[in-house]
CSV table of all heavy atoms in Angstrom, one decimal:
chain,number,residue,atom,x,y,z
A,178,PRO,N,-0.2,40.8,7.7
A,178,PRO,CA,0.0,39.8,6.6
A,178,PRO,C,1.1,38.9,6.7
A,178,PRO,O,1.1,37.7,6.3
A,178,PRO,CB,0.2,40.8,5.3
A,178,PRO,CG,-0.6,42.0,5.7
A,178,PRO,CD,-0.3,42.2,7.2
A,187,LEU,N,1.5,26.8,6.8
A,187,LEU,CA,1.3,25.7,7.6
A,187,LEU,C,0.0,25.0,7.4
A,187,LEU,O,-0.4,24.0,8.0
A,187,LEU,CB,1.4,26.0,9.1
A,187,LEU,CG,2.9,26.3,9.6
A,187,LEU,CD1,2.8,26.8,11.1
A,187,LEU,CD2,3.8,25.1,9.4
A,192,ILE,N,-8.6,33.7,4.9
A,192,ILE,CA,-9.5,34.5,4.1
A,192,ILE,C,-9.1,35.9,4.4
A,192,ILE,O,-9.4,36.5,5.5
A,192,ILE,CB,-10.9,34.2,4.4
A,192,ILE,CG1,-11.2,32.7,4.2
A,192,ILE,CG2,-11.9,35.1,3.6
A,192,ILE,CD1,-12.6,32.2,4.6
A,195,GLU,N,-10.6,42.4,1.9
A,195,GLU,CA,-9.9,43.6,1.3
A,195,GLU,C,-11.0,44.6,0.9
A,195,GLU,O,-12.2,44.2,0.6
A,195,GLU,CB,-9.1,43.2,0.1
A,195,GLU,CG,-8.0,42.2,0.4
A,195,GLU,CD,-7.0,42.1,-0.7
A,195,GLU,OE1,-6.3,43.1,-1.0
A,195,GLU,OE2,-6.9,41.0,-1.4
A,203,ALA,N,-0.9,47.7,0.3
A,203,ALA,CA,0.5,47.2,-0.1
A,203,ALA,C,0.5,46.7,-1.5
A,203,ALA,O,1.5,46.5,-2.2
A,203,ALA,CB,0.9,46.1,0.8
A,225,GLU,N,-6.8,33.4,0.4
A,225,GLU,CA,-8.0,33.7,-0.4
A,225,GLU,C,-8.4,35.1,-0.2
A,225,GLU,O,-8.5,35.6,0.9
A,225,GLU,CB,-9.2,32.8,-0.1
A,225,GLU,CG,-8.8,31.3,-0.2
A,225,GLU,CD,-10.0,30.4,0.3
A,225,GLU,OE1,-11.2,30.7,0.0
A,225,GLU,OE2,-9.7,29.4,0.9
A,243,LEU,N,-18.4,34.8,8.2
A,243,LEU,CA,-17.1,34.3,8.1
A,243,LEU,C,-16.6,34.0,9.5
A,243,LEU,O,-15.9,32.9,9.6
A,243,LEU,CB,-16.2,35.3,7.4
A,243,LEU,CG,-16.4,35.6,5.9
A,243,LEU,CD1,-15.5,36.7,5.4
A,243,LEU,CD2,-16.2,34.3,5.1
A,287,SER,N,-4.0,50.5,24.4
A,287,SER,CA,-4.2,51.4,25.6
A,287,SER,C,-3.0,52.3,25.7
A,287,SER,O,-2.0,52.1,25.0
A,287,SER,CB,-4.5,50.6,26.8
A,287,SER,OG,-3.4,49.8,27.2
A,387,THR,N,30.0,47.2,19.7
A,387,THR,CA,30.5,46.8,21.0
A,387,THR,C,31.4,45.6,21.0
A,387,THR,O,31.8,45.0,22.0
A,387,THR,CB,29.4,46.5,22.0
A,387,THR,OG1,28.5,45.5,21.5
A,387,THR,CG2,28.5,47.8,22.3
A,513,VAL,N,6.9,17.4,6.9
A,513,VAL,CA,5.8,18.4,6.6
A,513,VAL,C,6.3,19.3,5.5
A,513,VAL,O,7.4,19.9,5.6
A,513,VAL,CB,5.5,19.2,7.9
A,513,VAL,CG1,4.5,20.4,7.5
A,513,VAL,CG2,4.9,18.4,8.9
A,525,GLU,N,-10.3,37.6,-5.9
A,525,GLU,CA,-10.3,36.4,-6.7
A,525,GLU,C,-11.3,35.4,-6.2
A,525,GLU,O,-11.9,34.6,-6.9
A,525,GLU,CB,-8.9,35.8,-6.8
A,525,GLU,CG,-8.8,34.5,-7.5
A,525,GLU,CD,-7.4,34.0,-7.6
A,525,GLU,OE1,-6.4,34.8,-7.3
A,525,GLU,OE2,-7.2,32.8,-8.0
A,526,HIS,N,-11.5,35.3,-4.9
A,526,HIS,CA,-12.3,34.3,-4.3
A,526,HIS,C,-13.6,34.7,-3.7
A,526,HIS,O,-14.3,34.0,-3.1
A,526,HIS,CB,-11.5,33.6,-3.1
A,526,HIS,CG,-10.2,33.1,-3.6
A,526,HIS,ND1,-9.0,33.8,-3.5
A,526,HIS,CD2,-9.8,31.9,-4.1
A,526,HIS,CE1,-8.0,33.1,-4.0
A,526,HIS,NE2,-8.5,31.9,-4.3
Side-chain angles (χ1 to χ4, degrees):
L187 289 175
I192 300 175
E195 301 192 67
E225 299 173 42
L243 291 174
S287 62
T387 60
V513 173
E525 179 179 345
H526 305 91

